[in-house]
Amino acid sequence: MIHTDETTKEAVSTLEGLISILEDGKLGYTNAAEHVDSPAIKTDFLEYARERALFIVEIQDEINKLGKSTDTAGGGPLGAIHRAWIDIKSSFTSGDTEAIINACVTGEEAAIDKYKSALAKNELEASQIAIVSKQLNSIENTLTKIKAKRLS
């Protein structure tokens, strides 16, 4: 892709939108870990929160490579679209593990939608597509693991 100010701006905006949903997920999983009784589920949620933090750093690196600062990342217009993790916070206050797991499923589904939308826009470079695709695959795997917890 040839970099113009406009294509760079579009790519940065798309990447900032992903950072926003990742921030929500990181906070959501941290919050969920505080409210579940099961030590195993608590450990898994904290691991998912750490993974989201690593994903944020990867995407911030890509924004920095485009010559843009990530100081304001996560606050872009795309960040306001999906705030699923923040909206489901009330599920955590009850301490009901099933409700918390369902809330996490909702958050992951919102993240997957956002990632698929980012890839469909065709605004990213090959290296960014590779990172976003890898992260999407990991989030989809996490969703599968969380859904399996509902059955156990």
Side-chain angles (χ1 to χ4, degrees):
M1 174 184 290
I2 297 173
H3 276 300
T4 65
D5 286 346
E6 190 57 33
T7 58
T8 298
K9 191 171 146 187
E10 289 169 359
V12 169
S13 178
T14 297
L15 294 170
E16 284 178 343
L18 295 178
I19 288 174
S20 178
I21 196 89
L22 289 168
E23 288 280 2
D24 288 348
K26 181 178 79 170
L27 292 171
Y29 279 125
T30 301
N31 200 339
E34 292 171 7
H35 291 90
V36 292
D37 294 328
S38 165
I41 293 176
K42 186 182 296 271
T43 299
D44 287 344
F45 285 167
L46 290 172
E47 181 56 36
Y48 302 150
R50 276 192 293 278
E51 182 182 58
R52 296 305 173 272
L54 292 173
F55 288 174
I56 290 165
V57 171
E58 284 182 330
I59 292 178
Q60 285 174 333
D61 286 348
E62 290 303 311
I63 292 172
N64 291 334
K65 287 177 190 172
L66 292 171
K68 300 295 178 188
S69 169
T70 54
D71 292 344
T72 58
L78 291 176
I81 296 172
H82 282 297
R83 287 287 177 175
W85 281 101
I86 301 306
D87 295 339
I88 59 181
K89 189 175 177 184
S90 60
S91 302
F92 299 151
T93 56
S94 67
D96 176 10
T97 299
E98 188 75 15
I100 292 170
I101 288 171
N102 288 335
C104 292
V105 167
T106 301
E108 288 298 65
E109 288 172 344
I112 288 167
D113 287 347
K114 189 140 198 172
Y115 268 74
K116 287 182 175 177
S117 170
L119 290 170
K121 285 182 182 178
N122 252 356
E123 297 171 345
L124 304 176
E125 297 178 1
S127 64
Q128 295 160 351
I129 290 168
I131 288 168
V132 170
S133 296
K134 175 185 68 83
Q135 290 182 1
L136 171 60
N137 187 43
S138 181
I139 293 168
E140 288 172 334
N141 288 336
T142 297
L143 177 60
T144 300
K145 291 176 192 171
I146 292 170
K147 283 182 174 179
K149 290 181 193 318
R150 290 198 289 206
L151 307 173
S152 53

